[in-house]
Amino acid sequence: MTTAPSIILTRLDVQRLEQLIDRLGEETPGVEALQAELDRAEDVVGHDEVPAGVVTMNSSVHCREQGSGKDYHLTLVYPKDANADEGKISILAPVGSALLGLQVGQHIDWPAPGGKTLKLELLSVEGQPKDGGAFLL
């Protein structure tokens, strides 16, 4: 596995995700990985100061799996809004917590079923909550 890229988070996302972690508890699958992502953030900014190419909560993104060339259009959401058929990926899913704070052009390792690891490249952030004012929990 490669070294994780540096990430940028918003104060609002950090606050809401810490509240989510407190409510769910450490035993919930995905919480430990999410906490690790929050802890490694190199920059925490206001929700209105986040650069356009950074993945925040409720962002829609376009990424590509490098091995197969398959494209994915995903939206990073809270667990209650997750729906894989609609491309809405929970922040508690391995790919969800790995996408948080990523910047366009960066790569992540995505643990896939069967122990395989896929490499995803973030091609674009197609929309952030700040674009439409949707700072939903």
Side-chain angles (χ1 to χ4, degrees), residues 5-121:
S6 62
I7 60 173
I8 299 171
L9 301 178
T10 69
R11 282 188 284 279
L12 186 59
D13 283 350
V14 170
Q15 178 185 21
R16 289 178 173 178
L17 292 170
E18 286 176 344
Q19 290 172 353
L20 177 69
I21 290 169
D22 288 345
R23 280 195 314 267
L24 295 176
E26 294 178 15
E27 308 78 35
T28 303
V31 164
E32 189 174 313
L34 174 57
Q35 185 64 61
E37 290 299 302
L38 296 179
D39 290 345
R40 74 179 195 83
E42 292 193 7
D43 201 6
V44 179
V45 299
H47 63 272
D48 55 345
E49 300 168 353
V50 67
V54 173
V55 181
T56 63
M57 288 303 300
N58 297 303
S59 288
S60 297
V61 302
H62 176 201
C63 47
R64 179 171 295 138
E65 197 279 303
Q66 293 184 322
S68 69
K70 182 175 180 181
D71 283 5
Y72 295 90
H73 293 270
L74 307 171
T75 302
L76 186 60
V77 299
Y78 292 92
K80 66 182 178 57
D81 298 318
N83 183 327
D85 293 337
E86 296 177 2
K88 294 180 178 179
I89 304 301
S90 170
I91 186 64
L92 295 180
V95 70
S97 59
L99 281 170
L100 183 67
L102 208 63
Q103 299 175 63
V104 170
Q106 290 181 319
H107 301 80
I108 57 166
D109 290 332
W110 179 3
K116 188 176 178 183
T117 299
L118 306 176
K119 187 172 285 294
L120 282 183
E121 178 182 4

